[in-house]
Amino acid sequence: MRYLTAGESHGPKLVGILEGVPAGAKIDKELIDQALQERQKGPGRGGRMKIEKDQVVILSGIRGGVTTGAPIALEILNRDWTNWEKVMAWGSDADLESRKVTTPRPGHADLTGHLKYRTEVRNVLERASARETAMRVAVGNVALQILTALGVEIRGQVLGVGKIQLQMEDSPEHWERVDASEWKVGDAQSEEALYAQLKEAQIKGESLGGILQVQVDHLPPGLGSYVQWDRKLDGRLAQAVLSVQAMKGVSFGMGFAAGEHFGSEVHDPIGYDDGRGYYRFSNNAGGIEGGMTNGEPIVLQAVMKPIPTLYSPLQTVNMESKEIMEASVERSDVCAVPAALIVLRHVVGWEILQAVLEKFPSDTWEELHKAWRDYFQYVSEQ
């Protein structure tokens, strides 16, 4: 199973092609649209979110709400295209000078992309933009819907924004608070402090990053593999997470704190119950051992850097005159941490489904569902 995306931030549309999705799986377009709209929400989002009203257009591979086994083609229109049509036109009539960028932003792909491809910075930032994640959410939601039908649940919460660290729990009441929160946090008392910090950043022309957590429940042991480096599931999840714009680190379970403890304080003792099979008394490993799921929930954390576009710009160099100047300012968010959480849930969902389809027969939904049930029965009896 694989996918490709194409499109620029201010181009006419984003497109995606998915290949290898089982035939016979039910896909609800409204659920994809809901995920796209959720990605646009959150405190600190910029003016672009007031323009776009993202909805997916399904072009192929789904008929009557059911996958056919053929490649699935999706598109998302950019409503802001009407303001950029002359600038971003593909033909010789394109206005290449009116919004030319000559002052690359520190922390962005601007300068390095220009040096690598020998192209104008506008061409770099248009593709490097996090606008591309809208299509990754649409693609990932197809995977999430199939996983949900198998009984898998993928949830996420924000663990910190800027200097404010938040309470972490795993209870139904906590997750209800997360779902109801604009910040995607389970500590309602901290939201006032989060809004105050956001206001401070807005006044100073700053931006904010944060720490996010994604949790995957109800997986069997044995997804992924230890036999080759590129088949290890934690390595593949880490690559998927770090491929999302602004992500700078990823950890699993206890994460980096594991390096501060004795082994007896880190590794998870194993137990056994009739009817349940093997289980762990704790989950410091974050659900993955030896590159494979171990039957406990996958728990991963990611750190998101502050967005590179600052309304009080940092120093840079004018690429034409080589003078020291302030970096360019593209319309941007002050904080996109809650929105990034939506993206992470979906890129994680894609990788999990890919691991599922590698292990089980999956030309059709019926084959996959039966093999999934049979395997759960098998591991519970060992």
Side-chain angles (χ1 to χ4, degrees):
M1 192 173 71
R2 60 181 178 170
Y3 74 92
L4 289 172
T5 72
E8 283 77 42
S9 180
H10 297 103
K13 63 183 68 174
L14 302 171
V15 298
I17 296 180
L18 299 67
E19 186 179 48
V21 178
K26 293 182 179 179
I27 301 298
D28 187 339
K29 177 187 178 303
E30 290 187 7
L31 293 178
I32 302 177
D33 290 341
Q34 288 174 17
L36 291 173
Q37 290 153 22
E38 192 71 12
R39 173 194 164 276
Q40 293 187 274
K41 297 178 182 178
R45 301 306 305 274
R48 180 72 183 270
M49 296 304 103
K50 298 177 181 178
I51 297 173
E52 303 297 345
K53 303 295 181 185
D54 289 341
Q55 291 186 323
V56 71
V57 179
I58 299 173
L59 301 176
S60 69
I62 298 175
R63 182 167 179 252
V66 177
T67 57
T68 66
I72 297 172
L74 308 175
E75 71 174 25
I76 300 171
L77 299 179
N78 287 330
R79 295 179 66 181
D80 205 16
W81 161 249
T82 58
N83 300 315
W84 288 78
E85 187 170 355
K86 190 66 175 177
V87 176
M88 297 298 297
W90 66 268
S92 59
D93 59 338
D95 185 351
L96 302 179
E97 295 296 324
S98 66
R99 300 200 186 187
K100 186 176 181 180
V101 178
T102 59
T103 51
R105 294 162 293 173
H108 208 284
D110 296 356
L111 179 57
T112 306
H114 159 76
L115 295 172
K116 176 178 174 64
Y117 291 107
R118 302 187 183 188
T119 188
E120 200 257 300
V121 172
R122 166 64 55 196
N123 298 329
V124 178
L125 67 86
E126 286 290 335
R127 179 58 183 167
S129 167
R131 175 67 184 152
E132 180 257 355
T133 63
M135 181 50 71
R136 279 204 265 178
V137 167
V139 167
N141 196 263
V142 173
L144 279 186
Q145 291 191 45
I146 296 173
L147 289 171
T148 299
L150 291 173
V152 178
E153 186 174 13
I154 302 182
R155 300 180 290 190
Q157 60 184 316
V158 172
L159 300 182
V161 178
K163 297 179 180 180
I164 299 175
Q165 303 303 305
L166 298 146
Q167 189 177 15
M168 179 177 61
E169 296 180 20
D170 187 11
S171 67
E173 296 78 17
H174 177 80
W175 288 109
E176 286 178 8
R177 293 194 295 270
V178 170
D179 291 339
S181 167
E182 278 195 308
W183 288 96
K184 299 304 176 189
V185 301
D187 183 4
Q189 295 181 346
S190 296
E191 294 206 16
E192 185 175 340
L194 290 171
Y195 281 111
Q197 181 181 233
L198 175 62
K199 184 175 182 180
E200 178 186 3
Q202 290 170 329
I203 292 171
K204 292 181 176 180
E206 288 282 1
S207 59
L208 292 165
I211 300 173
L212 312 94
Q213 178 175 291
V214 176
Q215 180 169 319
V216 187
D217 292 300
H218 314 306
L219 292 175
L223 301 182
S225 177
Y226 61 88
V227 301
Q228 291 289 354
W229 66 271
D230 60 345
R231 296 182 63 191
K232 294 176 181 286
L233 184 57
D234 46 357
R236 290 164 57 172
L237 286 169
Q239 195 280 330
V241 168
L242 291 175
S243 74
V244 175
Q245 289 84 340
M247 297 300 150
K248 298 299 287 184
V250 62
S251 65
F252 294 84
M254 186 181 284
F256 290 101
E260 303 170 1
H261 296 269
F262 290 120
S264 61
E265 299 171 313
V266 173
H267 303 300
D268 305 306
I270 299 172
Y272 182 85
D273 272 344
D274 287 334
R276 176 183 177 186
Y278 298 102
Y279 67 94
R280 306 304 192 276
F281 285 96
S282 55
N283 192 24
N284 294 328
I288 297 180
E289 293 173 311
M292 302 169 292
T293 55
N294 63 13
E296 302 297 326
I298 292 178
V299 180
L300 67 83
Q301 301 85 28
V303 58
M304 179 184 186
K305 70 181 181 181
I307 292 168
T309 294
L310 301 177
Y311 288 96
S312 293
L314 294 175
Q315 174 184 304
T316 189
V317 175
N318 185 300
M319 296 167 61
E320 294 181 343
S321 69
K322 303 302 188 286
E323 295 178 274
I324 300 297
M325 301 183 67
E326 290 186 343
S328 62
V329 177
E330 293 285 318
R331 181 178 54 208
S332 183
D333 304 324
V334 175
C335 178
V337 175
L341 182 65
I342 306 303
V343 179
L344 290 192
R345 284 184 57 239
H346 285 81
V347 299
V348 166
W350 178 268
E351 288 300 323
I352 295 296
L353 181 61
Q354 188 166 346
V356 168
L357 299 190
E358 288 173 355
K359 179 163 181 58
F360 300 106
S362 56
D363 283 338
T364 69
W365 163 252
E366 290 78 7
E367 290 176 288
L368 172 61
H369 194 210
K370 181 181 185 304
W372 178 265
R373 294 197 314 266
D374 290 347
Y375 186 71
F376 265 96
Q377 182 67 29
Y378 157 75
V379 296
S380 70
E381 294 174 349
Q382 297 307 299

